Each structure stands twice: as C-alpha cells, then as structure tokens.
Amino acid sequence: MSDTAGTADEAEATLRGRLMAALSAEAPGRPLLVLVEGPAGTGKSRLVERLREAAPDTARRVTLGEPLPAGRPVLLVGEDVHRASAEHVAALRALLADPPAHLVCLLSCRPEELPVPGLILGPDTEFPARLTVVRHVVGPLDLAAVRRTAVDALGADRCPAGLAEALHHASGGVAQTVADLLDLLAARGPAAGQPRPADVAGLGTPPRLAALTLRRVVAVPEEQRAIVLAAAVLDEPATAGELAAVAGLATAPGRDALLTAVRRAALDVHGDGRYGFSSPLAADTVRRWTPGPALELLHRRAARLLATRQPVPWERLAGHRRACGDERGWLVAVERAAQRFEEDGEQQRAARLLESALATGPVPRQARPRLATLLARCAVVGLRSDQTHDVLRHIVADAGLPPAVRGEIRLDLGLLLCNQMGQVVEGRAELARAVDDLAGRPVPLARAMAALAMPYGPDAPFAENIAWIERAVKVADESGDPVIRAAVAANHVSVLLNSGDPAAWPLIDGLPRDSELVGCRQHAARGLCNAADATVWLGHYERSRALLTEGVALAARSGAAYAEQTGHGCTLVLDWATGRWPGLAARARTFVDEAGNMPYLVADARLVLGLLALTRGEWADAVDHLTGPGAADLDSGPVPISAAASGALIRLALAHEDVDAAASEAAAAWDRLRTKGIWPWAAELAPWAVEATVRAGATDAAREMAAEFAGGLDGKDAPSAAAALAWTHAVLAERTGRTAEAEAAYERSAAAYTAIRRPYQAALTRVGAARCALTHDGDSASAVAVLADCATAFDMLGATWDAARTRSELRHHRPVAEPRPPGRPRYGDLLSPREAEVAELAAAGMTNREIAATLHLSPRTVEQHVARAIQKSGALSRQGLGQALKGAGN
C-alpha cells in the first residue's frame, strides 16, 4: 500500500494520473484500489466526484451493488464504506480478492467510524499482491486554501485581512464547516457591510457541525461522557490526566473513557499526548448542550487545575472562575491577567479584558477605580473601543472618586478622545481638567501637559503648544521617572519637528529605543512614528521612510498598536507624495475598512483616496473621501490634513469654474493655519489658495497670503513648503500678467520638487512653466516638448485628468514644424485619440460639461465623442465605458 504525498493539489493530480493509466485500454490492466480517507466534512465526496469525472469516456462507471460489465475498463465507486451493508462489504472483499484487469475501485470512508479501526472491509480485509492499493488521506484545509475558498465565495473585495485566519481558527480547517460559515456570512447581505474577522465568532455553530458533534458525544456511554465535557470546558488540547481531573474521574476510568471518546470520534488526537475537539465551534456546541450545574462543576475543577500551572494562565483562569460563580477569585484573576498583559506590552488584550469586566462583571464599587485606572492606561496605546470610552466616562463622573484617581483616569480619557475617538476639542478639555486634578503628582501631570502640547489640533495656537511642552519637560525631569521622560520626549519631538524646527533632529536620536522598560519602548515607537509623520509634511521623504521602518517595527514588538497603525497611515501619505501610486488606492481602502471607526487614524487614508480621485477626474468620489461621512472635520480635524484637503477642494472648485466657492474655502483654510501658526503645513494649500484669491479679484489679499507664508518659513527646515512657496509666487506672478517672472518661479519650484522626489508636483509646476513660456516666448518648441513629457509623466502616475488637461494644452500650441497630414484621419472601429481621451474622463465619472471645460471643447462635441466611444467599445452605457475600454485594450 502506498500513500499519496505532496500538497493537496499535487496529490490529487497524482491520483488522477494513476486512475487514467489504470483505466486505459492500452495499459497492461493491473487493477487499482484507491482508498480516500478523512473525517466528516473534509471534502472526500467532492474529491471522489472530481476523480469520477476524470475517468476516460471509454471506461464504464458503476456504483457499489451494480453488476460489473465484462471486457472493458470499469471504475467502481463506493462512498462512505463505513456505512455499507454487510452484503456490500462481503461483495467487495470477494471482488478485490480476485480483481479483473482494468478495474479501478474508488472507495471513501471516515476512518474514525470504521467498525474495526484501520480495516476498511472489516477484520477480514486482505489485498492480493497483484492489486495496487493507494491510500489518500483528506485532511483539514490550510490557511491558504481557506483564503481561496473565502475569495471564491464572497469575492476578493469582501475578504479583508484577518477574515481567512478567523475562519480557519473557528472551523479547524474542516472544509464543510468553512463552507457553512461562508454561507452564513454571505446570507447577511450587503446591508451588513464588509465582513470582519470579529463577525465569524458571532455566527455560531453551523447546524451541520452541531448535529455531527452532538451525535458523536451521545455515542459515548453516559458514565464516560464527562471526559468529553471536560475537553469542551478546557477548550484546548489537554493531556489524559488533565481531562480526567476536570471530569472527576480516577486515572484508570479516565483513561478508558478517553479511549472510548477517541474511538467514537467524539474527541480528536492532537499529538504530544493531548486530546480535544477539531474546532472551537464543536467545543462550544458541547458546552451549550451541557446542563448548567454540571457545567459549573466542570469549570470549578478546571479553575483548580489551571491555578496549579506555572506561569498561571490568568485570563483563562478568570473565565473559569466567573463561570463557576467564584466572583472574588474572578476579580483577582482579571487584575493579575491585565497586569501581566501590560508588563508584556499587550495593552490591547489588557484593555479588552478590563472593559468587559467593568462593563458586564460583578466588580465591587471600591475596586472599580483601580481597574478603571489600569484600563485607561492600557487603552491609550491600543485601538478604538467605544465600550472603554463609555466605561471611563461613567467612572470619572463618580462624585466619590478621589481627585488624584479622577485626574489619572481623566488624563487617559482625554487621550482616548483626542486620538482613537477623533474628538479633539472634548479630549483637550478633559486633559485641561486633568491638569487641575493632578497637581502634586508629577508623573501623570507631565503626561497631561505633554498631551496638551501636541500641535495637530486647531483649537490652540502653536505658541500655547510650545508653552505646554516646556512645562512638561520640566516636570518630567523633576519626576525622575524614565517612562514619563520617554513619553514627554516623544511629544517634544512632535512639537518641534512639525514646525520645521531643526532643533528636533537631535531629540529623535535620544528616544529610548533599546530601553529594558516596555513603556519606554512604546513611547519611543510613538515618537518615531510621529516624527515620520512630521517629516512627510516637511518634505524629508527618505528620512520619513527610515523612521517609519524603525517606528512601526518597534511599535509591533512593544505592543503599541495605535502607534503602529499611525505608521501605516503615514506610509500611505508618503507613497502619495513620492509617486508610489500603483496599488495605493486599494491599500488606502483596506486601511479605511480596518480603522474606519477612528477618524484621526483614518484621516491619512481618506486624504490619499481623495487626492488620487481628483487626479483621475473622479470628482464626486474626491468630495466624498475628503468631506463625506467618516472624514475628519476640516474645522476640528488634524490641521495638516485639513490644509491638504482644502487645497484639493479649492482646486476642484476652480476646475468647475466656481471661483467664489474656491475663494471661500481658501479664506477658511488660511484662517485655520493663521490661528495654528505652523506654516510648513501650508505646503499643500498655499498655491491653490492664492490662485483662488487672485481669481476672485482680491489680489492684495493674495499677496498678503504669500508674504505671510514666506515669513512663516523663515528659519524652518521644510523643503516641501519651500517648493510650494516658489509655486505660490509663480501663481501670483502669472495671474498678474508677469509671465516671464512666473516662468522662472515655476521652474524653481519644479526643480525643488524634483530634488525631493515629488513627481506629481514637479509635473504640475513644469506644466505651469511651459504655459508661461508659450505665452511670452515666440519659440515654443521646447515648451511643447515639456508639455509632452508632463503628459507622459501624468499617464505613468495614473493621473488621467491631468494628462487630459495637458494634452489639451499641447494641442493648442502644436508647433508649425509638425503639420497635420491633409484630410481627416480615419480610425474605423478604433477610438481616435480624442475619443479615447473623452471616454477615459467619462468613465471616471466626469460630466460632459466638466470634460468640455477640461479639454476646451463644446459640450455638444463631448456628447458626440462619448456616443461614438460607447458604440465602438461595445459598452452598454456610459457607466460601462471603463471596463469596456480596459477589455478592448484602448
């Protein structure tokens, strides 16, 4: 007997090859027996059906009990032989004792349900020498196979990161259970939104798995069934001794009961002397089926067992103690578990455990502040949880809470509101109250002051942020506490670096990356990720990428989940700025799906999606990403994000020739920046704001804006803002008729953007320089060449709208040396260049009037081009143009 080897696909291919060879009329005709074995639900029937379909047409297919035709190859299929009647089993034994040539016998069974283990045809199973026997075991699916199955069932766009892992864990990889869980997910419909990994746990046990599990449990005699119940309560692979102890059985009876449970397939062998269920769902089914008093007794024994382990698994012990009614022991275990998680840098796990305990558990009044303080401390480095927010709000409102305790909880509540919840104004108000409560307690006081120093919010001018960080540094130094000094140092870096202060660079080197204290490492990771974010807005992109690499890795190692996510969001903005656009929109959408309930955190991704949509002419999408539901509010969100978003909205309004709306947005955005006082953040706003202001007729105001921008950059290390300042001067000069001066300023800006590797902005400013050159220079050949180069650059980035605008500009200035051939070119069924250009913009969602404004055509001409593009491409409608063009290769 031989076993198949290799991956599942390779093994199946080998089986198919042997089956085809054995059924070939030209082959020697040696009979073949294929045994397909595997537990219930692993996909044996589907494999047998695929093998049956692979048999050549010259072979006769018969099933168990049918007579065999003579003189031709035969494929005999017998499924679920463990259930076959005695007559069929006897007939099979007789047939295989003297098999005819060109016979392939394909049998499947569940080995755990065979009457005699290992013998498919009973105790008299015997195979003659001339019979080739191949055994193929179908096991659980691996993670990659589960992921493929999920994509096939739901579609790639509805399979977010982590979903396949959740399905694999819940199902144990059993193919049928995976399919049933996917059916339950799919049945929820689009209204339920994108499936999330957490949704899998809420689906419950599929009825098919529940019935199979309970059928096997009741097959174990009642006096031995406690061993199965013990395995369900422990809910992890356990030794025979552990199962017997929880079941309340002595050693010998426990061993006998375990042997019976394994033989009846109620429990699986996991290796290393451990036994349990194939999946958590099966164990959950047994627990729900077990009567309450019996379950309570099992949990009590399980708690006694776990309390003897070293180290003690406090979180699991807490669950067993609560389940058996030991409230005091449960509270001790919860607190010890949370403390252990915090020490190990797993604050996210600690926060989930504590918030559940405080929200649903029997926590005495005197213990609630202690657990709430620990919860607040852990929550600020984790991800958003509305439940944590509600718990902390409730506790901080307790009038009997000591001021120092209230201040510490209020501090972390303020941080939670500012960061994870995106409620900056409310969060800073809590932080200010915390400062009053924490007088005389230097460690939390320094944290509160350092938090108030963070400059991103629009509610406080930068001078106030500086005053807070100076006070925080002084208090932290006086405290002598290394963790609080690391926390303040991380914020000190953010405050100085965001303003472009060169004094920030040495502070980055001093962050305690290698500290033995996990708290210090977490703050160092936060400081590095915040520094990376600041350097993106400044224009130091290589430094930013290096800081991100180091910061995200340190955050992951030290359990700083929120800092890690901020690093991932910053990476999106960095890739936008440096022209790494392939796949960027998909990554940004995934980030929004994963972190969409945290407005501050997801603001980077929504900004990038809006900017990308604008460059492609997808203007409705751009507005939705920048201002729609889930977007950070422009008046209360992070100021650098708001400035960049306003720049895009101004540009969009100008494209629609809505100068009044553009000027209004420019004025509001400029007021926000002036209040904040961090002028490097104007880099993405200033050129568009100045253009809108000039076009609205307020030239003096535009000059004041440019002068204010220039003054704010004095002494600052901000390459991106410096390039934008030259662009701003270029716009001002062009709009006031000084085209030669404007051309020189555009060229300076383009050179600066090229030096810092911002290809999109470099192309935009080069177009500006060429446009000015064409206005005042009689020899336009070099300027036209620049326009052609820029159109190609926009194409390579995927900036459809910009490419179309540039080509339209190019056509208006076609050199005389390149005359068109006489007559009108004929393209037949192919789209002309102009039709393709119009079709691409229409497919992006632009209206005919918007396309006409972009390409300097009449709306009627655009309408004709769109109609011809739909006809030639075979699209069924304007909405289908994009896919039709892609499929046609136009």
Side-chain angles (χ1 to χ4, degrees):
M1 178 182 294
S2 64
D3 288 3
T4 54
T7 67
D9 290 342
E10 291 169 347
E12 182 175 336
T14 300
L15 279 178
R16 188 182 295 110
R18 299 187 78 157
L19 183 144
M20 293 288 287
L23 291 173
S24 171
E26 290 76 25
R30 185 173 180 180
L32 171 66
L33 170 62
V34 179
L35 303 176
V36 178
E37 301 178 1
T42 49
K44 299 181 301 300
S45 295
R46 287 189 288 274
L47 173 60
V48 168
E49 183 57 30
R50 290 195 297 272
L51 292 175
R52 184 207 300 264
E53 291 176 353
D57 295 337
T58 55
R60 176 74 181 273
R61 299 170 179 82
V62 298
T63 57
L64 206 57
E66 293 181 351
L68 300 185
R72 61 186 297 185
V74 176
L75 172 62
L76 170 62
V77 178
E79 292 201 63
D80 294 332
V81 178
H82 54 280
R83 296 177 180 169
S85 66
E87 291 79 8
H88 283 159
V89 171
L92 271 174
R93 278 200 302 268
L95 174 65
L96 295 176
D98 185 21
H102 297 293
L103 169 69
V104 174
C105 186
L106 178 59
L107 305 180
S108 71
C109 73
R110 299 176 186 174
E112 71 274 17
E113 295 187 21
L114 289 172
V116 181
L119 298 176
I120 192 168
L121 301 179
D124 297 328
T125 298
E126 186 175 353
F127 305 128
R130 68 189 188 89
L131 176 67
T132 301
V133 182
V134 177
R135 175 172 173 264
H136 178 77
V137 177
V138 183
L141 301 177
D142 60 16
L143 179 58
V146 171
R147 186 175 288 111
R148 288 195 299 271
T149 304
V151 169
D152 289 343
L154 302 176
D157 59 332
R158 288 179 55 79
C159 289
L163 183 66
E165 287 81 353
L167 288 165
H168 187 260
H169 172 73
S171 66
V174 177
Q176 185 61 64
T177 305
V178 172
D180 289 343
L181 290 172
L182 287 168
D183 285 343
L184 293 173
L185 278 176
R188 301 187 322 155
Q194 175 94 328
R196 298 171 302 163
D199 295 335
V200 175
L203 294 174
T205 306
R208 197 190 324 266
L209 175 61
L212 174 67
T213 301
L214 295 178
R215 187 168 69 245
R216 288 177 169 177
V217 171
V218 298
V220 177
E222 189 170 357
E223 65 274 11
Q224 295 181 318
R225 205 171 291 161
I227 203 80
V228 182
L229 308 186
V233 166
L234 283 173
D235 201 16
E236 67 170 358
T239 66
E242 290 171 336
L243 291 172
V246 175
L249 298 173
T251 302
R255 186 169 55 248
D256 292 342
L258 180 60
L259 182 60
T260 301
V262 170
R263 283 180 173 171
R264 301 290 171 87
L267 293 179
D268 295 334
V269 180
H270 285 264
D272 297 327
R274 296 182 182 276
Y275 307 86
F277 287 90
S278 61
S279 77
L281 292 176
D284 181 63
T285 297
V286 176
R287 288 195 300 274
R288 286 188 286 108
W289 171 78
T290 305
L295 199 60
E296 182 180 320
L297 179 59
L298 290 161
H299 278 294
R300 191 176 300 278
R301 292 179 185 142
R304 284 201 297 267
L305 172 70
L306 295 185
T308 64
R309 290 185 178 175
Q310 290 299 326
V312 177
W314 290 109
E315 184 178 23
R316 296 186 58 236
L317 178 57
H320 290 299
R321 284 180 172 172
R322 184 171 184 182
C324 71
D326 180 5
E327 294 180 1
R328 183 176 179 181
W330 164 76
L331 186 60
V332 170
V334 164
E335 194 164 4
R336 294 292 295 275
Q339 290 168 345
R340 176 76 59 77
F341 288 148
E342 185 185 27
E343 291 166 2
D344 293 343
E346 297 186 78
Q347 277 87 346
Q348 190 76 13
R349 290 183 67 185
R352 283 198 299 266
L353 177 63
L354 289 165
E355 73 179 13
S356 175
L358 285 163
T360 64
V363 181
R365 180 183 177 87
Q366 65 273 17
R368 292 181 72 80
R370 189 174 70 250
L371 263 63
T373 302
L374 179 56
L375 167 61
R377 194 164 65 235
C378 294
V380 294
V381 298
L383 303 179
R384 173 171 175 161
S385 169
D386 291 349
Q387 188 175 33
T388 291
H389 167 262
D390 294 343
V391 167
L392 297 181
R393 276 283 193 208
H394 179 73
I395 290 174
V396 86
D398 184 353
L401 210 59
V405 175
R406 179 186 291 105
E408 194 164 346
I409 297 174
R410 198 188 291 280
L411 160 63
D412 290 319
L413 175 60
L415 292 171
L416 192 71
L417 285 165
C418 285
N419 297 329
Q420 287 90 333
M421 309 295 289
Q423 299 172 19
V424 180
V425 175
E426 296 88 341
R428 289 180 63 85
E430 289 291 349
L431 292 170
R433 295 187 193 106
V435 169
D436 294 334
D437 287 338
L438 293 169
R441 299 193 62 202
V443 170
L445 179 60
R447 286 183 64 217
M449 290 175 171
L452 285 165
M454 291 300 282
Y456 297 106
D459 59 310
F462 183 59
E464 186 176 318
N465 300 133
I466 288 289
W468 277 119
I469 198 63
E470 289 174 350
R471 292 176 64 186
V473 168
K474 182 179 179 181
V475 174
D477 287 343
E478 291 173 352
S479 76
D481 185 290
V483 176
I484 192 57
R485 291 176 69 177
V488 172
N491 287 23
H492 199 183
V493 166
S494 293
V495 174
L496 296 185
L497 196 56
N498 272 289
S499 70
D501 190 335
W505 297 111
L507 297 180
I508 297 175
D509 297 333
L511 292 173
R513 302 157 168 82
D514 302 319
S515 172
E516 295 180 357
L517 300 174
V518 67
C520 288
R521 296 196 301 274
Q522 288 176 340
H523 288 303
R526 182 172 60 82
L528 290 167
C529 290
N530 285 349
D533 181 73
T535 51
V536 165
W537 296 113
L538 293 176
H540 290 292
Y541 303 118
E542 291 184 7
R543 281 182 173 179
S544 181
R545 205 169 291 280
L547 288 166
L548 275 174
T549 300
E550 185 182 10
V552 169
L554 183 57
R557 291 197 306 272
S558 59
Y562 186 80
E564 183 181 359
Q565 288 293 79
T566 62
H568 292 315
C570 178
T571 301
L572 299 173
V573 180
L574 176 58
D575 288 346
W576 150 261
T578 55
R580 299 188 180 190
W581 292 9
L584 180 57
R587 287 192 287 120
R589 282 192 292 269
T590 298
F591 192 85
V592 170
D593 290 339
E594 293 174 353
N597 65 340
M598 290 179 281
Y600 246 52
L601 192 58
V602 82
D604 286 336
R606 294 190 68 95
L607 173 67
V608 166
L609 286 169
L611 294 173
L612 287 171
L614 176 59
T615 69
R616 295 191 296 256
E618 298 166 358
W619 290 347
D621 287 344
V623 172
D624 182 62
H625 290 309
L626 296 172
T627 65
D633 183 73
L634 294 178
D635 290 322
S636 62
V639 177
I641 297 285
S642 297
S646 288
L649 293 171
I650 293 167
R651 190 181 180 205
L652 186 57
L654 292 174
H656 283 106
E657 297 295 327
D658 191 348
V659 175
D660 289 343
S664 176
E665 182 67 40
W670 205 260
D671 283 344
R672 287 193 292 267
L673 269 174
R674 182 180 292 121
T675 299
K676 187 73 244 182
I678 299 180
W679 288 104
W681 288 347
E684 312 303 312
L685 168 68
W688 308 114
V690 166
E691 179 172 353
T693 305
V694 175
R695 288 175 63 176
T699 305
D700 289 342
R703 288 195 180 98
E704 289 175 10
M705 293 165 74
E708 197 169 15
F709 184 25
L713 297 182
D714 188 30
K716 302 300 183 183
D717 181 12
S720 182
L725 179 61
W727 187 354
T728 302
H729 287 149
V731 169
L732 195 55
E734 182 183 11
R735 288 292 171 180
T736 53
R738 295 170 289 136
T739 54
E741 182 181 335
E743 180 187 359
Y746 276 125
E747 288 177 347
R748 287 197 305 273
S749 180
Y753 279 125
T754 300
I756 62 175
R757 299 182 183 179
R758 291 200 68 173
Y760 180 62
Q761 282 70 18
L764 287 176
T765 46
R766 289 184 71 208
V767 167
R771 184 174 59 244
C772 291
L774 289 166
T775 301
H776 70 82
D777 189 353
D779 180 12
S780 63
S782 60
V784 168
V786 169
L787 288 177
D789 287 345
C790 291
T792 301
F794 289 135
D795 279 333
M796 292 177 66
L797 286 167
T800 310
W801 177 51
D802 291 290
R805 285 188 314 105
T806 306
R807 289 203 173 90
S808 179
E809 189 87 32
L810 194 59
R811 289 191 185 92
H812 280 276
H813 300 281
R814 186 178 298 277
V816 178
E818 297 180 16
R820 295 180 184 271
R824 184 173 181 174
R826 298 183 178 275
Y827 296 95
D829 292 333
L830 297 178
L831 297 183
S832 71
R834 178 65 94 184
E835 288 167 348
E837 201 167 56
V838 169
E840 197 165 5
L841 295 178
M846 292 177 69
T847 66
N848 287 356
R849 188 168 297 278
E850 291 167 346
I851 297 171
T854 295
L855 301 180
H856 306 292
L857 301 172
S858 72
R860 175 62 179 164
T861 300
V862 171
E863 181 182 347
Q864 293 170 347
H865 284 320
V866 170
R868 283 195 291 270
I870 291 174
Q871 179 184 8
K872 290 183 179 182
S873 68
L876 298 179
S877 65
R878 185 187 187 100
Q879 290 71 29
L881 261 177
Q883 197 60 39
L885 293 175
K886 191 181 299 182
N890 279 294

